[in-house]
Amino acid sequence: AQTVTQSQPEMSVQEAETVTLSCTYDTSESDYYLFWYKQPPSRQMILVIRQEAYKQQNATENRFSVNFQKAAKSFSLKISDSQLGDAAMYFCAYRTDNTGKLIFGQGTTLQVKP
Amino acid sequence: ETGVTQTPRHLVMGMTNKKSLKCEQHLGHNAMYWYKQSAKKPLELMFVYSLEERVENNSVPSRFSPECPNSSHLFLHLHTLQPEDSALYLCASSPQLGYETGELFFGEGSRLTVL
């Protein structure tokens, strides 16, 4: 069975600095998708960034980028120039089959200090 | 208007009560999902519906009963719950099952407290 592990329950970063959130996963599949979702306090969870496993190039969305290491089954999220609005819980997620089923990690709470 | 709306936002109920959570999506999607979010645990997928047909039921206790009358509405009927069922219940939708990009669109959740 596929599993997703986020080993950092909480992280903090100074405003304008860079922070990296870790995620590892376990699968025997070769084709899959990986995601980072952001859940601000009392607000909707939204997609931050997505990576297709068959793509070697790391995904980037403005200040958000990933370091995808397929062999190591690692998928970390880097947030550059952190802003106060980045404070949220971040979930790493995995999907392989066509049921739409996402498998989530435990989440990492990110605090941004002014 | 948000794409996925959940009501109520907060619910407190006793173990003998019967209540329902409602989810409505205004995105024209065909697949809808219920997830349970408990503190310090991964999100747990509870139910998946595609075109109003249940396609997945992840060993959820029968005290949780889903209903999908049409592709825009999803309910979670609750009865004789236990205190450990207290959690944030998230509804999500996607254009279809197996949507290529895999993105789910979430509601804000219903915070359930069982006394």
Side-chain angles (χ1 to χ4, degrees), chain B residues 38-57:
Chain B
S38 304
K40 301 189 190 320
K41 292 177 66 176
L43 270 73
E44 302 171 52
L45 179 64
M46 300 176 72
F47 301 104
V48 180
Y49 276 83
S50 175
L51 296 171
E52 303 136 48
E53 179 181 343
R54 191 190 309 179
V55 296
E56 184 149 350
N57 175 354

Side-chain angles (χ1 to χ4, degrees), chain A residues 4 33 35 37 39 42-47 50 89 91 95 97-106, chain B residues 2 4 9 33 35 37 41-43 45 56 58 88 90 97-104 106-108:
Chain A
V4 177
Y33 294 89
F35 308 84
Y37 278 84
Q39 186 182 40
S42 301
R43 293 180 61 187
Q44 290 164 303
M45 192 175 320
I46 57 172
L47 179 66
R50 169 182 53 243
M89 181 169 281
F91 290 93
R95 186 204 126 192
D97 56 28
N98 60 2
T99 66
K101 177 179 177 179
L102 286 185
I103 299 170
F104 286 86
Q106 304 93 321
Chain B
T2 58
V4 180
R9 294 291 309 279
Y33 312 77
Y35 278 87
Q37 183 178 3
K41 292 177 66 176
L43 270 73
L45 179 64
E56 184 149 350
N58 271 5
L88 182 67
L90 295 172
L97 279 186
Y99 181 49
E100 184 176 323
T101 67
E103 181 178 0
L104 295 184
F106 285 87
E108 294 179 325

Side-chain angles (χ1 to χ4, degrees), chain A residues 18-72:
Chain A
T18 295
V19 65
T20 298
L21 308 184
S22 301
C23 174
T24 58
Y25 58 95
D26 188 24
T27 184
S28 58
E29 303 290 333
S30 59
D31 193 19
Y32 48 87
Y33 294 89
L34 295 164
F35 308 84
W36 279 99
Y37 278 84
K38 171 186 177 182
Q39 186 182 40
S42 301
R43 293 180 61 187
Q44 290 164 303
M45 192 175 320
I46 57 172
L47 179 66
V48 174
I49 199 165
R50 169 182 53 243
Q51 174 82 42
E52 291 91 341
Y54 65 86
K55 291 186 177 179
Q56 293 185 335
Q57 186 173 8
N58 288 325
T60 299
E61 289 287 343
N62 300 315
R63 298 182 295 106
F64 298 87
S65 61
V66 299
N67 183 3
F68 173 48
Q69 301 290 327
K70 191 172 184 179

